[in-house]
Amino acid sequence: MKEACGVFGVYAPDRAVAQLTFDGIYALQHRGQESAGMAVSDGETITVVKDMGLVAAVFDERTLSGMHGHLAIGHTRYSTHGTSEWNNAQPAYRPVGRAGFALGHNGNLTETDALIERAGMLPGMTASDSDVVAGLLALAFPESAGDPADGELAGAIETVIPELAGAFSFVLMDASHLYGIRDPHGFRPLCLGRLGPSEDPEGWVLASESPALDVIGATFIRELRPGEMVTIGADGVRSRQLFDDDQISDRLCIFEFVYFARPDSQLHGREVHGARRRMGELLARQAPVDADMVMGVPDSGVPAAEGYAREANIPYGQGLVKNRYIGRTFIDPDQQARVNAVRRKLNPLHENIDGKRLIVVDDSIVRGTTTRSIVGMLRDAGALEVHLRISSPPFRWPCFYGIDTPDRDELLAAHRTLPEIGRYLGADSIAYITLENLKEAIGAENVGFCDACLTGHYPVRVPVTFSDHPTDPDPGPGVAESTGAERNETRRDDILQGALPGV
Ligand code: SF4
């Protein structure tokens, strides 16, 4: 499962906005590692620099020193729609009006074919759904577009954005204004911050996550509301709602709390790290097991493991070391390559593990390849028992809202019972947190979440019908235990059927 893009924008007349944008997207690197880019305006000209690779590989001091202006947007990308190539790197730029406009997108639109037709583009010729939106905005500019201060981009946004379906948090800019927009369900986060004191602001910032504000010394003001558009310019920040009341329904992606967002992010008024720790505490109450040590799978499983250990009064320890320097330098083409990738990324601490009964806390299981490899590694390192505790419910449905997930048939929990999952993974026991406990751990009141990948209830129509929905077994709550003989039997069958490489 991969994150899908981080967006950033800053309006700050007396500051080096290119450097601020570099720091901002650097703080959002976890949301996308395929490409990075920024657009900077000096009020007359918009300069765009973007390329494949990590933020620090795309920008250096020399590049940044040539990008002058008072206004910028930045983007880090992981592709969910469109291939991983330079054309799809963002910001997308269109030379309409006096200086043109640039756009950065986090999310995924659901009815792209109809949009492509409306934009008069040829199917197969568009780089990404963000490219289609840029095309539609360009079409919506009046013929006479000239002075960007006249707000032509704002007018085009107000025409085009309410027609879009799916998940989108956008940052946009023309030569003199910065815009931030969230879709009416608020699937993807977007927050507003201020540079300088409240009585005399030096600038305004938009970012996918609040740590991107912290690193540049901006003060977190608030999250944008679902369906809200903010316009930032010389006259400060203005807000308006782009959607009707009956179109708005708060559905922040629940996996932002479980996995995607940084632990130091503020979402729905909560710090993500605390929510993850509480997930572990509730999981310990829900699915206790006797063991010698609780460990987390780095990184996002660690806070939940700490919570589990504290609640269960079992020592917490580190069992796996993560190589932090592995970027996404290649696409894992098959199961064997993914197994190898896990071994490159994680290595067991033998002395901590040998002879111990372990509770291993992880945030989620998608295909199961990673988890199965981890269980195998821990056993090879001498673990006596491996009890898996997962701080999200079974992941059973693909995401269409901006997260790169495999087809339904590749999801481990899509068609299996809980005991089958436990045996496949080679665990002594397995339990997933319930959806009720997950929401209780997050603790945000009077807000809604998207949980479609857990429940199959998609808040926005998706392009696929799953005919087997009612008949699939739901792994459900509870704990499934398996014996060594059962696990060996599953492994033997998997190898015979070619479902697993014989490793
Ligand atoms: Fe998030 Fe799942 Fe909804 Fe996708 S389907 S937005 S991953 S909760």
Side-chain angles (χ1 to χ4, degrees):
M1 188 159 52
K2 300 289 179 188
E3 300 91 311
C5 307
V7 295
F8 182 88
V10 56
Y11 179 96
D14 297 319
R15 306 284 287 266
V17 290
Q19 183 63 51
L20 296 178
T21 305
F22 174 87
D23 292 339
I25 57 176
Y26 198 72
L28 299 173
Q29 185 76 84
H30 62 291
R31 297 185 74 86
Q33 293 103 48
E34 283 187 1
S35 66
M38 73 171 81
V40 178
S41 167
D42 60 5
E44 297 294 325
T45 309
I46 295 178
T47 307
V48 181
V49 175
K50 58 184 180 178
D51 210 341
M52 304 304 291
L54 300 172
V55 175
V58 174
F59 296 99
D60 58 19
E61 260 178 53
R62 231 181 65 191
T63 328
L64 294 174
S65 64
M67 300 183 80
H68 302 291
H70 65 290
L71 164 61
I73 63 171
H75 193 266
T76 59
R77 179 166 197 265
Y78 184 87
S79 58
T80 48
H81 187 271
T83 50
S84 175
E85 56 187 48
W86 187 89
N87 274 350
N88 294 340
Q90 295 187 35
Y93 173 78
R94 287 290 185 283
V96 187
R98 196 177 66 187
F101 69 89
L103 164 156
H105 176 206
N106 173 203
N108 203 45
L109 303 180
T110 49
E111 292 176 17
T112 343
D113 288 348
L115 295 176
I116 290 172
E117 206 179 312
R118 263 185 43 208
M121 295 167 151
L122 292 174
M125 298 299 287
T126 51
S128 65
D129 52 0
S130 319
D131 198 41
V132 179
V133 175
L136 286 168
L137 288 168
L139 280 179
F141 263 66
E143 292 283 321
S144 60
D147 183 354
D150 289 339
E152 281 89 358
L153 181 57
I157 289 170
E158 287 166 20
T159 306
V160 170
I161 301 295
E163 302 295 317
L164 304 180
F168 49 87
S169 280
F170 286 117
V171 288
L172 295 107
M173 62 183 278
D174 54 23
S176 54
H177 289 87
L178 171 65
Y179 305 87
I181 302 159
R182 255 181 115 190
D183 70 66
H185 294 88
F187 284 109
R188 300 282 146 233
L190 189 62
C191 61
L192 173 70
R194 185 192 65 240
L195 287 163
S198 58
E199 60 281 8
D200 185 20
E202 293 162 16
W204 301 95
V205 190
L206 295 166
S208 293
E209 293 182 40
S210 56
L213 307 179
D214 302 336
V215 296
I216 62 164
T219 306
F220 174 85
I221 305 288
R222 64 176 175 86
E223 293 161 67
L224 265 65
R225 290 180 282 275
E228 183 182 5
M229 163 179 165
V230 294
T231 304
I232 299 170
D235 49 354
V237 182
R238 280 175 291 133
S239 161
R240 63 156 297 190
Q241 181 52 254
L242 289 179
F243 295 83
D244 297 333
D245 283 355
D246 61 354
Q247 293 176 290
I248 294 169
S249 145
D250 200 355
R251 290 283 182 270
L252 176 66
C253 168
I254 205 162
F255 265 86
E256 292 283 351
F257 275 99
V258 172
Y259 170 76
F260 302 137
R262 284 174 53 140
D264 48 346
S265 279
Q266 299 280 338
L267 293 174
H268 275 341
R270 300 281 162 142
E271 191 169 78
V272 169
H273 180 270
R276 288 183 185 157
R277 214 188 48 237
R278 284 190 295 279
M279 288 170 207
E281 290 168 4
L282 293 178
L283 194 48
R285 275 185 236 161
Q286 180 198 311
V289 58
D290 199 17
D292 304 309
M293 183 177 109
V294 181
M295 55 168 278
V297 176
D299 290 316
S300 46
V302 170
E306 288 169 356
Y308 193 108
R310 197 167 65 178
E311 180 67 25
N313 208 13
I314 297 173
Y316 171 81
Q318 202 180 341
L320 290 165
V321 172
K322 182 176 174 181
N323 183 338
R324 299 187 182 281
Y325 304 99
I326 295 182
R328 192 183 157 80
T329 50
F330 59 90
I331 294 171
D332 305 335
D334 57 28
Q335 193 88 339
Q336 179 64 62
R338 282 192 286 269
V339 170
N340 293 342
V342 176
R343 289 192 181 275
R344 273 196 296 273
K345 198 154 88 176
L346 295 169
N347 206 31
L349 283 167
H350 292 253
E351 280 186 25
N352 269 9
I353 290 167
D354 192 21
K356 293 211 175 92
R357 297 168 301 158
L358 300 176
I359 296 171
V360 178
V361 183
D362 203 354
D363 51 66
S364 56
I365 302 174
V366 182
R367 287 187 179 85
T369 321
T370 304
T371 313
R372 189 181 167 103
S373 296
I374 289 170
V375 173
M377 262 188 230
L378 295 172
R379 288 198 191 281
D380 290 346
L384 293 181
E385 292 174 15
V386 179
H387 300 276
L388 289 172
R389 294 295 180 268
I390 310 301
S391 62
S392 63
F395 197 108
R396 305 182 60 227
W397 308 88
C399 176
F400 294 88
Y401 307 135
I403 302 304
D404 185 26
T405 52
D407 289 342
R408 179 144 203 249
D409 288 344
E410 289 181 56
L411 298 173
L412 183 66
H415 309 293
R416 289 179 178 83
T417 62
L418 192 59
E420 285 169 347
I421 293 170
R423 286 197 296 274
Y424 176 85
L425 297 172
D428 291 271
S429 77
I430 182 167
Y432 292 86
I433 197 170
T434 62
L435 187 55
E436 293 70 31
N437 275 343
L438 173 57
K439 288 183 177 171
E440 189 180 330
I442 293 170
E445 285 169 10
N446 304 320
V447 291
F449 294 100
C450 174
D451 52 25
C453 50
L454 312 174
T455 61
H457 300 136
Y458 290 96
V460 169
R461 197 156 63 95
V462 295
V464 177
T465 311
F466 297 107
S467 54
D468 53 353
H469 185 179
T471 55
D472 274 337
D474 184 342
V479 181
E481 296 176 7
S482 48
T483 65
E486 286 171 334
R487 292 193 300 270
N488 287 339
E489 188 67 13
T490 307
R491 184 176 173 81
R492 193 181 61 81
D493 288 351
D494 284 343
I495 292 170
L496 286 177
Q497 289 163 20
L500 286 175
V503 292

